[in-house]
Amino acid sequence: MKIAVIGSGVAGLASGARLAAKGHEVHVYESNSYPGGKLSAFEQGKFRFDAGPSLFTLPEHLDAVFYDLGKNPRDYYNYERLEKSCHYFFDDKTRLIAYSDQNKFAKEVQDKTGTNAKSVIDHLKKSAFLYEKTHALFMEKSLHKLSNYFTKDVLDALINVFKLNLNASMHEVNSNRFKDPRLVQLFDRFATYNGSNPYKAPGVLNIIPHLEHNLGTYFPIGGMHQITLALVKLSKDLGVNFHFNTEVGKIIIEKNKVKGININGKEVEFDRVISNADIYPTYKKLLKGQKEPEKILKQERSSSALIFYWGVKKEFPKLDLHNILFSGNYKKEFDYLFGKKELYTDPTVYINISSKYNPKDAPKGSENWFVMINAPANTGQNWDQMIEKSRRNIQNKINNMLNTKIEDYIENESILDPRSIESKTSSYQGSLYGTSSNTKFSAFLRHPNFSQKIKGLYFCGGSVHPGGGIPLCLLSGKIVSELIK
Ligand code: FAD
């Protein structure tokens, strides 16, 4: 078959490679001049930056794309397991290192906060249990094909799912388990891994710490962008055709069946079309005139981000690859993000420094700082004004917590905000992960990976099932390739 993939995000690349390996003629159309969508990179003076994702978990799903297609992933990319997944800095000056060795982490928590190490291990065990019980149902299969419900794993997950902290919020579950507010805050933060609000998201999202604390965090050798480069090379080796700087204007439908796509007014025929573009513009623009899934398109979007990329002419030995400087009032920060849709004056600041592991990313004696705060989805706020205020607030926070004057060391700067995330990747409202998981039904309400009305039309990527983040996007690419018979 002749198959068009609209978008070269990780999910589009993974589905394209898998389908090319089955012998189909695959064409990937990408409006940007470069592949990867959110997972891209750029240079700023002598500094290199990964533009979007910085945390790599569940590498087996990336490896599987290669192994499943008869290739050795190590011929394409490699990664290392991190010994420390994150350095946490709290408002009261407590500093805590999340070691990937569970016992070492639990001891660190006990030493720094007085919380019994066993309660940390118990929490992580419960997180592992949640993962074991749910991943087959929520991650690996289409939730929208009845036949998928009759496998043992999925039936088991369904039986258990309603026992799994669906009625309490993540914050409620964590507050019941830990008395120390610092630990509650540490575990609440995992809601942001899919752009959600821990005070609303169901407790079942406590599945997420399992990935980092039990299964581990990883660093692709050479930086996150190697993931995109590896998938592009694999795709090319399998004969996928790439068309960059090529925006698809429309998906052509005839008699409820896909006929092809429209590029610059020209029709190109295809047997199957996969949209890797965000589901919102897919309906509003590419499928204009077709019936829309109104409820799905009205769902609350995940949070977005404001990122300052700073070339910093100093080294900070206290910092590691992943660093979190926590807000003094987490509840208020989320009220601002999801309620007022504004940036809070005391935000939680995430600093990622890839040059700690990839020294080539910054000149000697310098570091490449990716400084990110969570931001509300773009609903037309006055971003220029908010960014100026926020830069000052972020710098104050860094200066207080790290005892420095960071503005004296910033050599160069660029900024990514919800508007530019939206314009560069077509992500509606600049959301990082499609829709939020702020209700207990969110996982069931994501758009399916296929159209129930239009034959030959499929969807992959962070805004559809199973959701955002690199591993889930890769799985959506796999699900689509399995749905296309
Ligand atoms: P996208 O990356 O959304 O790409 C879609 C592509 O489709 C784009 O290239 C776009 O140009 C193209 N396109 C859209 N419409 C058209 C059209 N009409 N014609 C042609 N092309 C079109 N995930 C993690 O796992 N770990 C993290 O640490 C992490 N941090 C993040 C930080 C940031 C700042 C951001 C932005 C995201 C982060 N994520 C993280 C989320 C992760 O990046 C995404 O979930 C994932 O990369 C999305 O991939 P996707 O396949 O949905 O495609």
Side-chain angles (χ1 to χ4, degrees):
M1 286 189 289
K2 213 177 146 198
I3 301 176
V5 181
I6 305 171
S8 67
V10 271
L13 292 172
S15 64
R18 286 178 177 278
L19 288 160
K22 286 186 185 177
H24 300 299
E25 180 185 329
V26 177
H27 292 259
V28 175
Y29 292 90
E30 171 55 60
S31 38
N32 292 325
S33 56
Y34 55 87
K38 297 182 179 81
L39 189 41
S40 59
F42 66 97
E43 279 175 16
Q44 181 172 298
K46 291 186 176 139
F47 298 85
R48 189 200 74 88
F49 287 93
D50 288 312
S54 52
L55 178 70
F56 184 38
T57 55
L58 295 172
E60 60 269 32
H61 292 304
L62 182 58
D63 278 356
V65 183
F66 296 83
Y67 285 129
D68 289 354
L69 310 183
K71 304 281 185 189
N72 181 353
R74 299 295 80 81
D75 294 338
Y76 291 83
Y77 84 108
N78 211 343
Y79 55 83
E80 58 185 303
R81 194 175 202 270
L82 300 179
E83 270 181 39
K84 297 172 195 163
S85 63
C86 193
H87 281 222
Y88 292 104
F89 297 79
F90 293 87
D91 220 36
D92 66 356
K93 302 274 188 286
T94 309
R95 189 181 151 207
L96 201 148
I97 298 176
Y99 294 99
S100 55
D101 178 318
Q102 247 183 45
N103 293 319
K104 212 169 160 190
F105 171 57
K107 185 172 178 310
E108 166 87 353
V109 171
Q110 183 165 300
D111 291 348
K112 298 280 172 68
T113 72
T115 302
N116 190 317
K118 187 176 171 299
S119 62
V120 176
I121 300 281
D122 284 350
H123 183 65
L124 296 178
K125 275 190 188 150
K126 284 181 182 140
S127 180
F129 172 82
L130 286 177
Y131 182 81
E132 291 309 325
K133 290 295 169 201
T134 56
H135 74 105
L137 173 63
F138 290 117
M139 288 169 62
E140 286 168 20
K141 296 264 175 351
S142 168
L143 274 180
H144 309 87
K145 289 271 178 202
L146 196 61
S147 55
N148 284 338
Y149 285 81
F150 296 106
T151 64
K152 194 192 161 304
D153 283 354
V154 172
L155 281 174
D156 196 30
L158 270 179
I159 291 164
N160 280 291
V161 79
F162 291 99
K163 293 185 206 157
L164 299 176
N165 308 130
L166 279 176
N167 288 321
S169 71
M170 245 182 127
H171 176 73
E172 282 163 346
V173 172
N174 292 333
S175 313
N176 281 336
R177 291 201 187 144
F178 299 104
K179 288 208 176 59
D180 193 305
R182 289 166 295 187
L183 267 192
V184 176
Q185 189 169 25
L186 188 153
F187 284 113
D188 277 359
R189 188 181 75 91
F190 287 98
T192 64
Y193 282 31
N194 69 7
S196 303
N197 174 354
Y199 300 89
K200 295 231 165 104
V204 69
L205 281 202
N206 277 322
I207 189 177
I208 301 173
H210 173 64
L211 309 183
E212 189 159 317
H213 285 282
N214 298 334
L215 302 179
T217 51
Y218 298 82
F219 182 74
I221 309 288
M224 294 296 287
H225 190 227
Q226 294 303 318
I227 296 174
T228 295
L229 297 181
L231 286 169
V232 170
K233 183 169 185 316
L234 172 74
S235 305
K236 286 187 175 164
D237 287 351
L238 294 166
V240 172
N241 305 281
F242 283 94
H243 308 265
F244 292 109
N245 297 307
T246 309
E247 181 169 353
V248 174
K250 209 170 164 35
I251 300 172
I252 306 161
I253 314 293
E254 219 174 73
K255 295 182 186 149
N256 295 328
K257 197 171 172 278
V258 146
K259 195 178 164 224
I261 57 176
N262 192 309
I263 306 158
N264 297 326
K266 205 175 132 227
E267 286 190 11
V268 187
E269 289 201 3
F270 281 97
D271 301 301
R272 300 283 182 272
V273 172
I274 303 168
S275 177
N276 174 220
D278 187 304
I279 197 69
Y280 192 91
T282 295
Y283 274 99
K284 294 288 178 190
K285 193 176 147 211
L286 301 179
L287 292 169
K288 203 169 172 185
Q290 300 295 321
K291 192 167 167 29
E292 291 177 1
E294 283 170 27
K295 265 194 193 157
I296 290 181
L297 300 190
K298 277 195 187 133
Q299 273 177 265
E300 181 187 46
R301 300 293 289 182
S302 84
S303 55
S304 186
L306 169 61
I307 301 154
F308 293 95
Y309 306 91
W310 289 334
V312 171
K313 50 186 182 206
K314 186 178 164 146
E315 284 180 309
F316 286 77
K318 265 190 215 165
L319 299 178
D320 197 48
L321 176 65
H322 301 291
N323 311 277
I324 289 286
L325 279 51
F326 269 123
S327 167
N329 191 336
Y330 217 29
K331 171 82 173 68
K332 214 159 179 188
E333 184 176 5
F334 284 95
D335 289 345
Y336 269 69
L337 289 174
F338 287 95
K340 294 184 176 200
K341 304 225 173 282
E342 287 174 20
L343 296 171
Y344 183 42
T345 44
D346 175 21
T348 297
V349 178
Y350 167 63
I351 307 172
N352 175 260
I353 310 171
S354 68
S355 60
K356 296 271 186 198
Y357 280 75
N358 197 34
K360 281 193 217 141
D361 288 353
K364 209 167 173 349
S366 299
E367 291 178 342
N368 65 340
W369 279 33
F370 166 112
V371 179
M372 174 174 131
I373 60 169
N374 290 312
N378 175 26
T379 51
Q381 297 91 327
N382 185 343
W383 285 108
D384 291 335
Q385 209 180 62
M386 284 161 74
I387 289 167
E388 282 315 306
K389 271 195 202 158
S390 204
R391 184 196 283 103
R392 278 198 301 276
N393 291 333
I394 291 171
Q395 290 180 346
N396 286 341
K397 179 126 206 129
I398 291 172
N399 293 344
N400 278 338
M401 285 199 164
L402 303 181
N403 200 16
T404 184
K405 195 160 175 240
I406 192 65
E407 47 275 48
D408 289 351
Y409 304 109
I410 299 174
E411 193 173 314
N412 51 32
E413 176 188 271
S414 55
I415 298 173
L416 188 72
D417 64 58
R419 293 168 305 184
S420 40
I421 294 174
E422 184 160 11
S423 63
K424 284 183 173 171
T425 69
S426 300
S427 191
Y428 179 50
Q429 297 186 342
S431 81
L432 306 190
Y433 303 96
T435 51
S436 78
S437 290
N438 286 341
T439 75
K440 60 181 168 184
F441 300 115
S442 304
F444 294 98
L445 293 177
R446 291 209 173 84
H447 196 283
N449 301 107
F450 60 99
S451 168
Q452 279 147 333
K453 303 221 161 55
I454 301 163
K455 239 183 126 194
L457 180 58
Y458 297 84
F459 310 92
C460 63
S463 65
V464 299
H465 177 73
I470 298 163
L472 296 190
C473 288
L474 292 170
L475 286 170
S476 76
K478 179 169 188 241
I479 294 170
V480 162
S481 73
E482 287 165 356
L483 289 170
I484 296 181
K485 299 280 189 243

